[in-house]
């Protein structure tokens, strides 16, 4: 397996990652339905680890959170062998604060993800999408606080236009 640095950090991740989007039950309470049973998902995760894949990508809303639970079960006793990446943004309930990049949502969902994953830290915690209603400063401060608390080691983003990412880097530099 070939390993590369995660961004400008010293963390080495496999060039190939395993995504957990389809892991879980066909009828989650929210989120996309799963297409791979929990048992088969665990076998896939173990096979990926055996092949040297150490980066496993997930999100809090994949199959209603079940994908994170499956990953947590699969890496029990193997936590030091994997880089757990998960994301936060999408709708996870009916309330007005059950989605997005507000501090309230990020802080609530990191705890839910940690519980489902059965770990006390997330290697890479990512904003899954831009929240046009929340100031970048609010989201970035929440992520910074999670790093300082030791709950998250690295942060990132997914599905961001380049200009928003550039602005996020500028806001981080200024603050």
């Amino acid at each position: 397996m070939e390993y590369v640095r995660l961004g400008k950090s010293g963390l080495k991740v496999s060039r190939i990652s395993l995504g957990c989007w389809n892991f879980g039950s066909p009828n989650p309470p929210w989120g996309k339905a799963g297409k791979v049973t929990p048992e088969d998902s665990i076998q896939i995760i173990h096979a990926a680890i055996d092949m040297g894949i150490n980066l496993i990508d997930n999100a809090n809303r994949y199959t209603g959170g079940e994908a994170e639970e499956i990953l947590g079960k699969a890496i029990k006793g193997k936590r030091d062998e994997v880089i757990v990446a998960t994301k936060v943004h999408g709708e996870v309930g009916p309330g007005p604060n059950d989605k997005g990049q507000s501090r309230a949502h990020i802080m609530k969902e990191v705890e839910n993800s940690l519980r489902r994953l059965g770990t006390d830290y997330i290697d890479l915690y990512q904003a899954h999408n831009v929240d046009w209603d929340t100031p970048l400063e609010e989201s970035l401060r929440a992520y910074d606080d999670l790093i300082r608390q030791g709950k998250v080691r690295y942060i990132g983003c997914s599905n961001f236009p380049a200009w928003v990412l550039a602005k996020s880097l500028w806001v981080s530099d200024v603050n």
Side-chain angles (χ1 to χ4, degrees), residues 89 100-101 127-133 136 158-161 164-165:
H89 179 82
Q101 292 296 311
H128 206 165
N129 217 321
V130 177
D131 180 348
W132 302 106
D133 294 328
L136 286 171
S158 175
N159 303 311
F160 270 50
V164 176
L165 180 55

Side-chain angles (χ1 to χ4, degrees), residues 65 98-99 145:
D98 288 339
K99 63 182 174 182
D145 288 346

Side-chain angles (χ1 to χ4, degrees), residues 96-153:
N97 294 306
D98 288 339
K99 63 182 174 182
Q101 292 296 311
S102 71
R103 179 180 186 84
H105 185 66
I106 291 168
M107 296 306 212
K108 176 183 173 187
E109 285 305 304
V110 76
E111 296 299 335
N112 289 335
S113 290
L114 289 168
R115 177 183 40 78
R116 287 189 294 259
L117 290 163
T119 188
D120 55 355
Y121 67 94
I122 294 167
D123 296 292
L124 175 60
Y125 200 44
Q126 301 167 91
H128 206 165
N129 217 321
V130 177
D131 180 348
W132 302 106
D133 294 328
T134 301
L136 286 171
E137 293 84 356
E138 178 180 340
S139 304
L140 290 168
R141 176 59 62 206
Y143 288 119
D144 185 56
D145 288 346
L146 291 174
I147 290 170
R148 291 175 191 276
Q149 293 169 11
K151 294 178 180 182
V152 170
R153 295 196 171 165

Side-chain angles (χ1 to χ4, degrees), residues 1 24 86 94:
M1 180 59 60
T86 197

Side-chain angles (χ1 to χ4, degrees), residues 12-37:
K12 303 288 178 148
V13 297
S14 52
R15 184 170 290 281
I16 298 170
S17 68
L18 175 65
C20 299
W21 186 30
N22 286 311
F23 293 173
S25 304
N27 298 311
W30 42 262
K32 185 178 180 346
K35 296 179 180 171
V36 182
T37 68

Side-chain angles (χ1 to χ4, degrees), residues 70-111:
I70 291 167
L71 177 56
K73 289 175 187 171
I75 64 172
K76 190 171 186 170
K78 299 174 183 259
R79 180 63 181 95
D80 292 338
E81 297 177 43
V82 297
I83 306 299
V84 173
T86 197
K87 298 179 285 298
V88 60
H89 179 82
E91 189 173 355
V92 295
N97 294 306
D98 288 339
K99 63 182 174 182
Q101 292 296 311
S102 71
R103 179 180 186 84
H105 185 66
I106 291 168
M107 296 306 212
K108 176 183 173 187
E109 285 305 304
V110 76
E111 296 299 335

